[in-house]
Amino acid sequence: MEFKYVTKSGTAVFQDRYVTKADRITVPYNENRKHTQKIGLVGAPLSKSSISHSGAGFAPATIRKMLQSFTTYSIDHDRDLASESVVDYGDILMHPTDIVESQKRIRLALDEILHREEPSQLIILGGDHSVSYPAISSFSGSNRVGVIQFDAHHDLRNLEDGGPTNGTPFRSLIEGKCIQGENLVQIGIRDFMNSKIYTQYAQQHGVTVYTMQDVRKQSIKKIVEEAITLLKRNKVDMIYVSVDMDVLDQSFAPGCPAIGPGGMDSHTLIEAIEILGACQMVKAMDIVEIDPTVDYRDMTSKIASWLILSYLRERELMVSTVNNCENEVK
Amino acid sequence: MEFKYVTKSGTAVFQDRYVTKADRITVPYNENRKHTQKIGLVGAPLSKSSISHSGAGFAPATIRKMLQSFTTYSIDHDRDLASESVVDYGDILMHPTDIVESQKRIRLALDEILHREEPSQLIILGGDHSVSYPAISSFSGSNRVGVIQFDAHHDLRNLEDGGPTNGTPFRSLIEGKCIQGENLVQIGIRDFMNSKIYTQYAQQHGVTVYTMQDVRKQSIKKIVEEAITLLKRNKVDMIYVSVDMDVLDQSFAPGCPAIGPGGMDSHTLIEAIEILGACQMVKAMDIVEIDPTVDYRDMTSKIASWLILSYLRERELMVSTVNNCENEVK
Amino acid sequence: MEFKYVTKSGTAVFQDRYVTKADRITVPYNENRKHTQKIGLVGAPLSKSSISHSGAGFAPATIRKMLQSFTTYSIDHDRDLASESVVDYGDILMHPTDIVESQKRIRLALDEILHREEPSQLIILGGDHSVSYPAISSFSGSNRVGVIQFDAHHDLRNLEDGGPTNGTPFRSLIEGKCIQGENLVQIGIRDFMNSKIYTQYAQQHGVTVYTMQDVRKQSIKKIVEEAITLLKRNKVDMIYVSVDMDVLDQSFAPGCPAIGPGGMDSHTLIEAIEILGACQMVKAMDIVEIDPTVDYRDMTSKIASWLILSYLRERELMVSTVNNCENEVK
Amino acid sequence: MEFKYVTKSGTAVFQDRYVTKADRITVPYNENRKHTQKIGLVGAPLSKSSISHSGAGFAPATIRKMLQSFTTYSIDHDRDLASESVVDYGDILMHPTDIVESQKRIRLALDEILHREEPSQLIILGGDHSVSYPAISSFSGSNRVGVIQFDAHHDLRNLEDGGPTNGTPFRSLIEGKCIQGENLVQIGIRDFMNSKIYTQYAQQHGVTVYTMQDVRKQSIKKIVEEAITLLKRNKVDMIYVSVDMDVLDQSFAPGCPAIGPGGMDSHTLIEAIEILGACQMVKAMDIVEIDPTVDYRDMTSKIASWLILSYLRERELMVSTVNNCENEVK
Amino acid sequence: MEFKYVTKSGTAVFQDRYVTKADRITVPYNENRKHTQKIGLVGAPLSKSSISHSGAGFAPATIRKMLQSFTTYSIDHDRDLASESVVDYGDILMHPTDIVESQKRIRLALDEILHREEPSQLIILGGDHSVSYPAISSFSGSNRVGVIQFDAHHDLRNLEDGGPTNGTPFRSLIEGKCIQGENLVQIGIRDFMNSKIYTQYAQQHGVTVYTMQDVRKQSIKKIVEEAITLLKRNKVDMIYVSVDMDVLDQSFAPGCPAIGPGGMDSHTLIEAIEILGACQMVKAMDIVEIDPTVDYRDMTSKIASWLILSYLRERELMVSTVNNCENEVK
Amino acid sequence: MEFKYVTKSGTAVFQDRYVTKADRITVPYNENRKHTQKIGLVGAPLSKSSISHSGAGFAPATIRKMLQSFTTYSIDHDRDLASESVVDYGDILMHPTDIVESQKRIRLALDEILHREEPSQLIILGGDHSVSYPAISSFSGSNRVGVIQFDAHHDLRNLEDGGPTNGTPFRSLIEGKCIQGENLVQIGIRDFMNSKIYTQYAQQHGVTVYTMQDVRKQSIKKIVEEAITLLKRNKVDMIYVSVDMDVLDQSFAPGCPAIGPGGMDSHTLIEAIEILGACQMVKAMDIVEIDPTVDYRDMTSKIASWLILSYLRERELMVSTVNNCENEVK
Ligand SMILES: [Ca+2]
Ligand SMILES: [Ca+2]
Ligand SMILES: [Ca+2]
Ligand SMILES: [Ca+2]
Ligand SMILES: [Ca+2]
Ligand SMILES: [Ca+2]
Ligand SMILES: [Ca+2]
Ligand SMILES: [Ca+2]
Ligand SMILES: [Ca+2]
Ligand SMILES: [Ca+2]
Ligand SMILES: [Ca+2]
Ligand SMILES: [Ca+2]
């Protein structure tokens, strides 16, 4: 029998009957039922793989929690996100002392999800950027994958000096033939945060690089549409969007391990994700490099939650209106 | 007899004889003298009425203190604010356990101030946004009031679920016939922070809504002038400006209870308040939703102090130059 | 079908198969099953009733979470607490703006729990100290209740000045005839934190008061045993233990709203609760006045969790060994 | 005319009519009236004189504010401190760039206070320990002064290397013949916080030194009484008590610039000050080396406030009961 | 003999063989060798001279350390800064209690550096803004110096009220005939942060003032080029750039002592320094008013490091391409 | 040529010529000279091996830095520690992604140090407790090692669930036959922080366990001397002291990853280390589990520094006076 005033611990908060909190867009995966949601979400709480000390492993839980501080309604597009439209598979269990094993588990877990659940879209919450290597390689098993990476850094470091870290995912993908350099577009690469030799590596492998100066001088809309056009011309099967939050300026994203000036403002990044959310070829997005232990009032995780909501809104709009990026960017 | 080097506790700070700190614009209300200042200031330190945990009750004291970090001089307009041009009535005493009683006291206190002191302008420092209901209803007793609200949220929630909170003031005002929906203009309403049903409520009641997308696409100048024109066309007797600081982006106002990305930058808000300060019909302004206990270095309160100073500068300029918004916006 | 490496969000943490985390002692109340646990736990997340700004409403969630940082095993008594020995009823839903209503709900919720579930023991997590009034009055409905209160303050303030706050619970209980002054024992009352008039009130109503000087000069064991003896002599039906964490010195409990020097060290309080846990007449305990928003690394909530574990260990030992306080203190 | 609910800014807090907050013991000095209070209080907000970066200049304001968190009533001695028993002269105005001038002003201000106001007792709030040199030298103008210093450090550094800092006050006093080494008693001097050469200096000048090991092995009561006996035997006219809060262990006084383990607990220091408060020969006390900018929740300032209250209680008890230290310690 | 895995304390961090950290641009001054680097760096860790409490004395160490979080490579200009291109002379030793002596030492130290080492460029890290007086006066000994000052404040306060503080450097320079008012350009002067009388002083002495409104309405490029043109027209021998970081808005530079809204964004300041770095007449730059003790994650120091790197990049580009500001701005 | 006032960056701090800061006891290892110091120090900055998120890898640098806040002089024993009596070998270079490799490097580095440098004493600074396994196993290569472990936890977890973590070092040592269970003494083991099965493991392997209740009921002196006597009776060649700082109560050591109430106070631990420092058989000590990123004002690292100084003082006293533990404890 239910109590009149006592409710499950953690739920005894004020509820306005007319407001749907955005955490309601997700429903926990239940192995005993058949999920009809086509969009999936999974956490990859790995950050021992970071070159510097990082608590990015706490981000999946924090980003999920921050969804509670938003609603499902976009007034600017008069669009209410459907409740329970996303299935939350949960988090991938990391090994305490074997980092390579943890990365392998990310690969295996995504393989299992992709093959068994066949989500139309998958959102992966890091963790640090090292998770993008196993994540993208899982997709590349049966797809020709194009990648659009938002990042202050190339992440093309050599693997000899430290193994597979958050500085190496795109190097690993290229060397491992999971993706071709031509199918990688990097946006937001910044002065004084990269090494000439890795910029040269990018050039040699045909990677398309938009620096922050490019972002400031051109519109983000133009850059993102160029990127989509390029990848379509390259005949990729799908686009994977990888969002390293340190592409943002430190004043907007104080919770990234590698903060600095000279970066993007948050509205520009939101705009980019909106365009990508509306693009049919985008099948997956990861959000990485948020360390909640150094953030201020979870600001950076709040941006991540907002990106997810913007992405989903455009996705739902696209599905419902058969608008898609093919039309938009041709 | 005075001491040579000992001064009243709290005043033993360096004083440059040629600098007037901005806290000198206010003089404490003294019941035994006749105040000639026509502009009044009063604190409404209520935040138990907030849906979430809020220390906004500390804001009146903090905003006043932050005035000490500014001077009275506006170099951009070569204007020195007059000392003691504002009478500070003090703070309204809140009840520890009876929130509705506290709100009633705000109403009664403002009634007393308005009727007895007849200030030409009144600045009200919240507290949370719930204080705007009693504050505006006090003005609406003998005026047809138009309201320009800067806010990420509609604040049009139903009253059944939680009583009169910081989510309900404008609903209360409309339902209570204190203002008409047509005379309410909301600026800065944001995606993922509102509920569709309340946006519909706004539409049904003729509320004019400018979202953040509107703010980004149009100039704030155009929006504010449109708002003034509308209210004048509607024949309101006066305009009340209600500034919920969470209209600002979290990177600019880290001290609001409900922070998030996608908001206004501080300069845009300052510009808006400058225009309103120069408008003769504006008779009152409240500044609400600053929680100094979660702010960083009182940044958000500093913006509040700056808004007050900008508002007063335009006010004094207007009085001295017979410029007024009627000319400006027609 | 289960995933190999993906687990429910929030559970993907390292698990040592031989370690039982102390949060496993509780099982969430399920309205659809018959609970056999005789010990109950309930949260009363109310702190708007505090005289000063308090986030004590967050404490039930934090104390529960801190149980995760302990195990079930007491090496000093070679005792492993039984898993699922406590049923967690959840939290009582508070009203956003009606504080008296919230207090009434605590009373009603406890009435419902006590009458329907008949727990042999109930642990109540505040919230501020105002929750003890409705909580104890619920027990006093059908019992002659003796109270042992650990507190720096009498909490016997008059009700006229601010209504039912965290300064008034024991006044309300005495005035409301829920308990008799003779059946109230206060331990840890401190210099410069009380008013003479309320000490006199305590004396006039036969309240037994042990100050911090008493605690320092006598052993806590002697004081607590005296208190039990007194209440038994007074023929109370049961003892309710009320633990205001501010009885502790600020260096041990940095997270109480009203911190100060001159208080108890944490081991002394633990010792007191151990004695009370072993006393058959003790039927309920509340832990109040922890504000997690001002605590350092949840230290104060960790002490609260430890007190619960110590209490339960003694309780289980008592049940299993038929040792009880009657023998101990006669 | 007074407002019904509006009160002076900063005073709109809940007031229980039966509670006297401890800040009421002080009344601000008013040059236009005749003060009958015989006990004086003055702030010396100087910390640019510190060897390391220090915000101790903020301590006088913070300690005064912390008095608001205590009441006037000592339950352990059933003594209510008289309201307005202390006149607060205010703070001594420091020079922004001339540190030696600031120290001179402390001397001149105290001369003026002592000669014109003739307080029976003076409490001086630092500031760093450098303020004790001008403060004590002011007393030594017409008295043979004995000093009891609570400190982890000798503060007997040479003056050549850095001028008059917080490391030199007692050296300056001895070299300047303001006090004799024999009339200086240091209590709480700590391992690894001093230099052998300064310990030797203390020995050569007849300074009596009780280290922390002495404090741990003997009772503080015995040490303080020995110190009083010694100074009386030496025929000093008065005793000045200098309390460097870093005599406390870092776990009790986290807000001192020079924190470390191995120090005194707060109750021991309180006990010492109680004995000194009851000693007729003690005419002045300073409390120094609290930096509120690095403290946790003003804990260290709260201990300072408590010391003042304990001191005043014993003082009033002494006056009213003609008990004095002569009897106690003979 | 070297150890295989043990390295000097502080250096045991991951090193990617292809990445040069930006701290490698400096080499510590070694009195025993002949330095060929023509660019020098020196710290002036003075902040006791500040009107308000300031830890700016910690900034030289922090800014140097923040260089470690950047690399030497500018992707936007495909330019790798030369390693060891800057000689780090170290820090000037400040006097603990004699502030004027400390300022004199800055002058003497720079005299010694300039005369003996003859650096082509000197970067001075404050400290507060008071260091610019001795620094610029050292250059003015044998040069007609033009100054471009980025600041929210005039820093033209009278010297009588507080001696040579961080509010007076440019007054001292003008009064001391080190520079002429006509050769001083102030950029970023802000509303409500200055006094009318000092604006008038600026006007009377021919100082060129660009307010924040000017910065917002014109491009920073235009303003800086105008300033260079003016100083060239005035026939100065060299330009000294003085960067008070509080010219930035508080949201970008949270670590300045005097924060506030209405300021510059960081990219605008970076752009300005880039132009000045490319101008042959610029011979020195100071960066002042960063207090690392109040900063958030060293953000403000990170901007300072970035400014140094941008300045050096333009400098090296200029040297290598014979581009210089004469061409650019004529 | 030297500058008059400019000194190496980082050294421009006030220096009292008569004070020796305690960091002077160490001299950096120089591969090109012959070190005569017989006591060595080495950092093992590994914390990726921790079960929970830990920044203990930053501790070696912080503990070294905290030595600067102490002097070399112990007044209680009138003993000045010799300068440069300890050679600091530096830190062992950790691998970014291969934790087991990092642990192997600790073993190899210690092997190299022990065999080549033959220090009479070695102090190892962790890092987390996992470093004790490679460290002790290095000593056990040629010695029968007895271990005295201060810890709230057994650290005897199974290795299957997570590999070699900070929960397993003593299990690894026993299973790897590096030490015998009989030669392990654990002091400070705490309630609710261990699992029954691991206590049983300890019992089965003959480990001697003193719980916190033992510490509270007996004197630490008695316990430590019993431990030494036991190990001597067992004919160990040497004693290795392993100090997990979480043996301390959270109020004393707020910077340990696993904080909680019920622990030791800092003076008790200091006393224990003093006895061990005076014991000839003790040849090595590690100090582990300090995470400077969560500490308050480096308090926990300050205790670590103090422990090192106390240990060294007793060591030097022992050497100079031929006092040793054999006499003391027989
Ligand atoms: Ca990246
Ligand atoms: Ca990155
Ligand atoms: Ca609002
Ligand atoms: Ca709002
Ligand atoms: Ca209480
Ligand atoms: Ca209490
Ligand atoms: Ca001292
Ligand atoms: Ca001291
Ligand atoms: Ca300046
Ligand atoms: Ca400035
Ligand atoms: Ca351990
Ligand atoms: Ca441990």
Side-chain angles (χ1 to χ4, degrees), chain D residues 51 129 149-158 166-170 186-203 207 209-213 244 246-247 258-259 261-263, chain F residues 16-23 67-81 306 309 313:
Chain D
I51 293 171
H129 220 155
Q149 170 196 359
F150 294 87
D151 206 331
H153 310 88
H154 287 305
D155 288 357
L156 293 168
R157 286 169 182 271
N158 80 81
N166 62 339
T168 64
F170 300 98
Q186 301 187 318
I187 300 174
I189 303 300
R190 220 182 295 178
D191 268 8
F192 307 126
M193 294 199 173
N194 291 281
S195 182
K196 180 165 191 168
I197 215 150
Y198 295 129
T199 299
Q200 288 171 337
Y201 181 95
Q203 289 161 345
V207 176
V209 174
Y210 294 95
T211 68
M212 270 312 296
Q213 195 173 68
D244 181 335
D246 69 18
V247 75
I259 58 169
Chain F
D16 177 323
R17 73 190 79 170
Y18 302 118
V19 175
T20 314
K21 295 285 181 63
D23 58 331
L67 284 172
Q68 294 171 20
S69 60
F70 296 107
T71 66
T72 54
Y73 181 60
S74 165
I75 187 171
D76 273 327
H77 300 75
D78 189 25
R79 181 96 204 160
D80 212 334
L81 298 183
W306 185 287
L309 296 174
R313 182 195 63 212

Side-chain angles (χ1 to χ4, degrees), chain D residues 47-56 58 95-100 103 160-165 291 293, chain E residues 47-56 58 95-100 103 160-165 291 293:
Chain D
S47 50
K48 289 195 175 180
S49 35
S50 291
I51 293 171
S52 59
H53 181 59
S54 168
F58 296 111
H95 192 280
T97 48
D98 191 337
I99 293 170
V100 172
Q103 291 169 329
E160 291 71 38
D161 286 333
T165 66
D291 179 350
T293 69
Chain E
S47 50
K48 289 194 174 181
S49 36
S50 291
I51 292 170
S52 59
H53 182 61
S54 168
F58 296 110
H95 192 281
T97 49
D98 190 338
I99 293 170
V100 172
Q103 292 169 330
E160 291 70 37
D161 286 333
T165 66
D291 179 351
T293 70

